[in-house]
Amino acid sequence: EAGVAQSPRYKIIEKRQSVAFWCNPISGHATLYWYQQILGQGPKLLIQFQNNGVVDDSQLPKDRFSAERLKGVDSTLKIQPAKLEDSAVYLCASSTVGEVFETQYFGPGTRLLVL
Amino acid sequence: AQSVTQLDSQVPVFEEAPVELRCNYSSSVSVYLFWYVQYPNQGLQLLLKYLSGSTLVESINGFEAEFNKSQTSFHLRKPSVHISDTAEYFCAVTLSGGYQKVTFGTGTKLQVIP
C-alpha cells in the first residue's frame, strides 16, 4: 500500500513570494490533515478536510494561507505572501474517516525555508 | 483545551540500556493518548496509543507506555534500546468523544550511543 505522498520535499523562497505544496493521501482515506512543524516544536494542525469539506481550519492564518481538496482526494496548501516565520516543515497526514482515536498516517513532509 | 508537555528535548542513552521518555498532559476530561516516532528523514509513525481499558499499552518493537490518570502521565519506556531506536518521539493527546484535534508535544530526541 502506497503511503502519503508530498511534493516538493524541499523549497527555498524569498519573503513575499508565494509557494504551494501538494499532498496525495493514502487511497480510500476520507480525512486529510495539514500540519505545520516549526523547528523545536511539535506539529500544529492547520486544516483538516473530511472528503472535500473543511472540518477545522481554526489555526490556519487565512490572510496568507489557503488550502483546497477539490475532488476529495489530493490537496494543495498555498502560502501567499510568505513570511520569514513560515519557515517550517509542512506535514500532510490522512486517516480513514477522521475519528479522534484513529491512526493518522503522515507523509515525509515539505521543508520550507523563507529567506 | 488540552495540552501535552515533554520536558526532555534530548535523551542520550547507551545501547542495551533502559530508557524512559516522559510525557505529561493536562485535561479535565477523558483523553486519548498517543506516541508517534519520527526516524531520520521519514514521516511520523504511530508507535502506540491508549484509548481505554488496560493502562499499559505495548508496541511491536518493545516499547510500552502506561497511562497514569492520577499523575496525568503517559511515559514511554523500553527495557533495552537498540541503535535503530534513534529517532524523535512525540507524545500527543486528544479529548475523547466527538471531534477534537490532536495536540502534539514538542518531541524528545532519543540518541542511542553504541
Side-chain angles (χ1 to χ4, degrees), chain A residues 33 35-36 41-45 48 56 58-59 100 104 106, chain B residues 1-6 23-27 31-36 44 74 90-95 99-107:
Chain A
Y33 312 79
Y35 288 87
Q36 179 192 57
Q41 299 180 21
K44 181 183 82 172
L45 180 69
Q48 177 181 341
D56 185 346
S58 58
Q59 299 188 105
V100 294
Q104 294 184 25
F106 285 81
Chain B
Q2 74 274 22
S3 66
V4 61
T5 301
Q6 293 181 251
C23 172
N24 288 89
Y25 69 93
S26 69
S27 173
V31 296
Y32 297 142
L33 292 155
F34 309 81
W35 275 101
Y36 281 83
L44 283 98
F74 191 55
F90 292 89
C91 184
V93 63
T94 187
L95 302 182
Y99 167 76
Q100 298 289 345
K101 65 172 65 73
V102 176
T103 300
F104 286 84
T106 52

Side-chain angles (χ1 to χ4, degrees), chain B residues 27-81:
Chain B
S27 173
S28 58
V29 298
S30 296
V31 296
Y32 297 142
L33 292 155
F34 309 81
W35 275 101
Y36 281 83
V37 58
Q38 188 171 28
Y39 297 105
N41 298 315
Q42 296 186 28
L44 283 98
Q45 305 171 32
L46 180 69
L47 189 61
L48 47 77
K49 60 185 176 183
Y50 169 77
L51 303 180
S52 64
S54 173
T55 58
L56 185 66
V57 290
E58 299 177 350
S59 72
I60 58 173
N61 59 352
F63 282 93
E64 64 178 30
E66 186 163 18
F67 170 58
N68 188 319
K69 188 175 181 179
S70 62
Q71 298 187 9
T72 61
S73 68
F74 191 55
H75 301 330
L76 183 69
R77 302 183 182 94
K78 189 170 185 179
S80 176
V81 295

